[in-house]
Amino acid sequence: NLDDAPLLAQIKQGRPQCDLINNSMMSHTKYVAQDALETLDRDRLKSVKSAKIPDNQITDHAVGSSFYGACMAYRTDAFGGKKPESWADFWDTGAFQGGRSMCNPDGDLPELEFALLADGVPMDKLYPLDVDRAFKVLTRLRGDIKKYWDSGPLPGVLLSRQEVTMSTVWDGRIADLEKQGVPVERQLNGMRRQFQGYAIAKGAANADAAYQLMDFSLRAESQAALAKAFPSNPSSPLAYAKLTEDERNALAGAPKYYDKGFDTDIDWWLKNESAVTKRWLEWARG
């Protein structure tokens, strides 16, 4: 995880130690507010067009290169052959018995969206989030949440040890467990996507090189090559055609899954993150 403070201090002094920054699009937006990123010259990034990067992942200061999805994972041996299909099932501890795990704000944004989806809010009507309603729904599950996870591997550990039967998880974290023979699967319905991307530090000493590397990294071929080595979901829809069917369908970004998920509304979270986190911490203490 990138610690923002030292880098922002270097940029303010006009001496950034790095040129190209790979960070969440939400963090890039925070950097823009601190005047810490170069305004991008789109003509120097030919691959943005050729890779067909989605418009909503192109800003004046950053371009989205991949996303990770928060979704649910469950033990396939826990529910007598039944499979949870939705967040409503995650909340249904009668039909799907056993403990749950959800993330702590140290791990990711509080999972208000999942509570609202469980309560019947349509995916395209989530934002602006109804915070009061979300906490009401979370409270219904609070007694069944055995642990709040704060790091990527923890949901897998809890599921492996059978401490919980279902957990929220980052989508790429389940594949290794499946390879080890742990009876777990992910459900991508209602997945929350958050994009990562590239930006150039304000005052970068090697701006030309940064542009070249960014242009190369955003190519569909480059994104596909990365996805073969690491469970990262390319932002370029063309990258998926360059993968085998098995490689493609292992990724939450595959065309067949894409419409099952939604993009995090960064602007909403930037305005509300600190208030929601404070309320979440009070709520979790009960």
Side-chain angles (χ1 to χ4, degrees):
N1 247 0
L2 188 62
D3 181 8
D4 293 329
L7 184 53
L8 284 168
Q10 292 163 19
I11 292 170
K12 282 208 163 63
Q13 289 156 9
R15 290 194 297 275
Q17 282 176 5
C18 70
D19 304 293
L20 191 65
I21 304 172
N22 180 359
N23 208 342
S24 74
M25 293 297 276
M26 187 156 160
S27 291
H28 287 318
T29 310
K30 291 177 180 173
Y31 273 52
V32 172
Q34 303 263 351
D35 193 27
L37 299 179
E38 291 286 343
T39 302
L40 294 173
D41 176 355
R42 216 65 70 65
D43 291 337
R44 299 173 76 177
L45 297 168
K46 301 281 184 250
S47 59
V48 171
K49 221 183 207 118
S50 64
K52 292 198 160 67
I53 309 273
D55 288 343
N56 66 347
Q57 298 310 323
I58 305 167
T59 72
D60 289 340
H61 301 85
V63 179
S65 56
S66 65
F67 76 83
Y68 70 91
C71 60
M72 78 172 80
Y74 62 93
R75 286 196 63 102
T76 54
D77 57 359
F79 313 120
K82 281 193 309 227
K83 288 186 171 202
E85 300 288 342
S86 66
W87 289 110
D89 290 344
F90 190 91
W91 257 255
D92 187 348
T93 51
F96 297 93
Q97 293 185 357
R100 303 292 194 259
S101 178
M102 294 184 79
C103 89
N104 166 320
D106 286 343
D108 204 343
L109 295 171
E111 294 164 328
L112 304 192
E113 291 95 338
F114 303 154
L116 293 168
L117 290 170
D119 205 38
V121 176
M123 205 161 60
D124 59 351
K125 301 275 192 295
L126 277 169
Y127 300 102
L129 299 181
D130 183 336
V131 176
D132 291 341
R133 180 175 176 182
F135 275 101
K136 211 175 268 173
V137 180
L138 282 166
T139 300
R140 296 209 303 262
L141 196 62
R142 185 166 53 196
D144 297 286
I145 300 175
K146 301 295 174 223
K147 194 167 185 66
Y148 296 103
W149 59 269
D150 55 5
S151 70
L154 193 52
V157 172
L158 298 170
L159 287 160
S160 299
R161 290 185 189 153
Q162 302 191 42
E163 289 180 37
V164 299
T165 57
M166 266 197 244
S167 178
T168 58
V169 67
W170 291 329
D171 73 89
R173 291 288 181 167
I174 290 302
D176 285 344
L177 294 177
E178 289 177 306
K179 282 186 196 121
Q180 293 159 24
V182 181
V184 288
E185 262 177 37
R186 64 184 183 187
Q187 170 56 263
L188 295 173
N189 277 338
M191 169 181 61
R192 179 174 73 180
R193 287 188 287 264
Q194 290 188 67
F195 279 80
Q196 303 237 141
Y198 294 105
I200 296 175
K202 186 81 174 256
N206 308 290
D208 285 349
Y211 270 109
Q212 284 172 347
L213 180 54
M214 186 169 171
D215 191 45
F216 172 79
S217 301
L218 289 168
R219 283 183 198 161
E221 296 78 6
S222 306
Q223 291 193 31
L226 179 61
K228 283 174 190 271
F230 179 79
S232 106
N233 300 292
S235 64
S236 166
L238 305 184
Y240 295 91
K242 300 180 187 301
L243 300 170
T244 68
E245 193 178 353
D246 283 351
E247 287 168 341
R248 183 164 55 245
N249 291 336
L251 297 174
K256 68 183 239 182
Y257 305 128
Y258 203 79
D259 291 342
K260 296 181 171 196
F262 63 92
D263 292 344
T264 306
D265 185 329
I266 294 179
D267 294 328
W268 189 89
W269 274 109
L270 284 169
K271 285 190 200 87
N272 297 283
E273 183 184 10
S274 59
V276 168
T277 299
K278 186 167 175 265
R279 181 165 172 181
W280 189 96
L281 293 167
E282 285 164 11
W283 168 85
R285 281 199 292 269

